[in-house]
Amino acid sequence: MKRKHKKTIILYIFIVLLPTILGSYYLIHIQSQRKLDERMEEANWVAHIHASHWDKFISDTVTSLEVLSLAAKTLYTDLEDMQPLLERTNQSDPRYGGIYILSIDGQIITGSNKIFQKNAFFEIDIVQEVVRTKDIIISNKEFSLPNDQKVLALAVPILNDKNELIAVSMSLLRVDYVKNLLNVLTPGAQLLVLNANDEEVMGFNIKKDDPLDNDRWVSVPIDRIPWNLQVKVPEPDVRNTTMDYIFIIGAVLILTNILFLLIMYMLLRRQAALEKQENEVQKLELVGTLAASTAHEIRNPLTGIKGLVQLLGEKYDDPTDRLYFSVINKEIERINEIVGEFLILGKPTAQKMHAVDIAKVLNELQPLILSEATLNKIDLIYNPSEQPIFVKCTRDQMKQVILNITRNAFEAMENGGRLTIDLSKKNSTCELMISDTGVGIKDEVIEKIFTPFYTSKETGTGLGLVVCRRILHSFGGKIHITSKENKGTTVKITLPIAKTH
């Protein structure tokens, strides 16, 4: 009992616990990766949305400054006259913290407000970069105006018809306006704007201790300026993640337990079938031993009776007496047949088996089977193999099996019918099929037909099929019977092909 319990525990470990652990780990890994991909995709979408708005924001600003640059070219001789235009532009658009016209050495010529004094030098580095490149330049970081307002500087070159730099148009972009605009798009998103040197220009919802590793951030370039926009991949929701893990582990555990129960059920059925088969074998051996010993005890006095009957038959010549003696002899022969079945049912004596051509055996039995079929008004369909099929067995016992089965078929067709005998070779086995169109066998009866002494006939001994199976098993063969009530029965005999030299 302890051994069986230990075996069950080992099976549970290998069928339930280990697969649950490994399967849950694998499925959790897949689920985590899928969720991470979803968050990465979401972060990538946010990054592209913000990058697109940055591009539009810069494009609109540059367009506005280019319009002012055209006006500056027209008023080149007196750029101070542009102040009203700069003031109106600055007031009409909340993005601006100020708009200025600078000389090529960085000196303020005019502006939209008086935060800076006239002729003051302003953002020399940006102006020098515009002079060098004659291109649009944006400051690498935010800075504060005298009124503590944080801004970014965007400079656009003003060129004459000869493509010579004559001045610089510079707008101060309010950082708080940009932040509000981006925050409206995706509130709560954590993002950074980095300049060309990967230095932080501005950040949104960023904690100081957040590491900037590539696995947790999505980076998208801003087309109009040499900046990058980075969005942090959202952290997984702890509650939803926990529920997902619990569901996965629970589902795997349920499936593995169902599998365990199915395997245990199959093992129990297999064990029950083996025990039943073992019990049948033991019962058959016990019955066989008893039958064989009884048969020996019966055969000895029966031999004496048969001899005395023969002597009496020689002494009495009267026809009536001879009729009685013939009846007695027939009954003695019948008893001998039953005794012979008893002996086979017991442990059979060692017989010398040799390769026998089953096709030839069937041909030898054909006249006998045909005469009995004709007597019972039964059509016989005989399909023996044209090629010899050798099986290792004893010829007489093989004949006994075939005649026993055909006799049962004739008895099942009292009102006539059809008996079909087919012999064929399939791979390494010999297959003999004997089919009839008789009354058939009930389902509840067919399960008991190989039980010793069980019979559905009034005069049967219940040993015929048992003996047939015992003989065929001794040849290494099998017998299988299928039947449908009122339609007929098919007996399938399979035997291993003998190796002939």
Side-chain angles (χ1 to χ4, degrees), residues 75-316:
L75 300 173
Y76 173 66
T77 55
D78 194 1
L79 292 174
E80 292 182 359
D81 293 343
M82 288 192 63
Q83 183 173 348
L85 178 60
L86 297 178
E87 289 177 352
R88 285 195 303 272
T89 304
N90 182 66
Q91 292 172 2
S92 65
D93 197 330
R95 77 181 68 190
Y96 296 120
I99 305 174
Y100 299 90
I101 301 296
L102 307 177
S103 66
I104 60 176
D105 58 358
Q107 193 174 21
I108 296 175
I109 299 174
T110 186
S112 62
N113 49 44
K114 297 181 180 179
I115 295 176
F116 299 100
Q117 295 181 357
K118 186 177 178 182
N119 299 325
F121 290 94
F122 180 69
E123 291 296 313
I124 300 298
D125 293 341
I126 297 177
V127 175
Q128 289 177 348
E129 189 67 19
V130 173
V131 172
R132 187 179 67 82
T133 62
K134 294 182 182 181
D135 198 2
I136 301 168
I137 300 297
I138 190 168
S139 58
N140 281 331
K141 57 184 178 179
E142 63 185 33
F143 58 92
S144 298
L145 298 177
N147 60 0
D148 292 331
Q149 188 178 58
K150 293 184 177 181
V151 293
L152 292 168
L154 180 66
V156 176
I158 301 174
L159 306 173
N160 61 16
D161 294 336
K162 295 180 181 180
N163 201 33
E164 296 174 345
L165 183 67
I166 57 176
V168 176
S169 173
M170 180 177 291
S171 65
L172 303 180
L173 305 176
R174 293 170 51 192
V175 172
D176 58 345
Y177 173 81
V178 175
K179 287 186 176 180
N180 288 334
L181 180 64
L182 298 181
N183 194 48
V184 168
L185 290 173
T186 54
Q190 295 177 285
L191 58 91
L192 286 171
V193 179
L194 304 178
N195 60 28
N197 299 323
D198 285 336
E199 297 172 343
E200 182 179 340
V201 177
M202 63 179 70
F204 303 89
N205 305 315
I206 300 298
K207 298 177 182 178
K208 292 182 178 180
D209 56 348
D210 279 342
L212 295 177
D213 55 80
N214 293 330
D215 293 338
R216 298 178 60 188
W217 294 81
V218 173
S219 181
V220 174
I222 301 174
D223 294 336
R224 293 288 299 181
I225 52 178
W227 288 2
N228 285 324
L229 196 146
Q230 289 192 343
V231 176
K232 186 179 180 182
V233 178
E235 295 292 337
D237 184 86
V238 177
R239 184 175 180 275
N240 290 338
T241 302
T242 303
M243 293 301 295
D244 287 344
Y245 290 175
I246 291 173
F247 174 78
I248 289 172
I249 294 171
V252 174
L253 190 61
I254 290 171
L255 290 175
T256 51
N257 271 285
I258 291 173
L259 179 62
F260 173 74
L261 292 175
L262 287 174
I263 291 174
M264 289 300 297
Y265 172 72
M266 291 172 64
L267 290 175
L268 288 173
R269 282 194 61 181
R270 181 172 175 271
Q271 184 179 354
L274 290 174
E275 289 177 354
K276 182 180 179 182
Q277 184 179 359
E278 188 177 345
N279 290 335
E280 289 292 332
V281 171
Q282 290 177 354
K283 183 169 68 174
L284 186 60
E285 286 182 355
L286 179 62
V287 171
T289 303
L290 179 62
S293 61
T294 304
H296 280 296
E297 294 299 326
I298 293 172
R299 178 165 282 182
N300 290 333
L302 197 62
T303 303
I305 293 171
K306 186 176 182 180
L308 291 173
V309 169
Q310 287 178 350
L311 291 174
L312 290 172
E314 294 174 359
K315 184 176 180 181
Y316 298 94

Side-chain angles (χ1 to χ4, degrees), residues 5-75:
H5 185 64
K6 185 177 180 182
K7 183 180 179 181
T8 303
I9 292 174
I10 293 172
L11 282 174
Y12 191 82
I13 290 172
F14 281 97
I15 296 173
V16 177
L17 295 183
L18 286 178
T20 298
I21 293 170
L22 296 175
S24 298
Y25 174 80
Y26 176 71
L27 292 175
I28 286 172
H29 174 72
I30 291 177
Q31 177 72 356
S32 300
Q33 188 61 45
R34 188 176 68 84
K35 292 290 185 181
L36 177 60
D37 291 342
E38 289 178 357
R39 298 197 306 274
M40 291 281 288
E41 186 176 347
E42 179 185 352
N44 191 58
W45 175 81
V46 170
H48 278 86
I49 289 292
H50 283 284
S52 175
H53 278 78
W54 264 100
D55 286 331
K56 186 176 185 303
F57 178 77
I58 297 298
S59 295
D60 291 345
T61 304
V62 169
T63 301
S64 178
L65 291 179
E66 286 176 344
V67 170
L68 293 175
S69 298
L70 290 174
K73 286 170 62 176
T74 305
L75 300 173

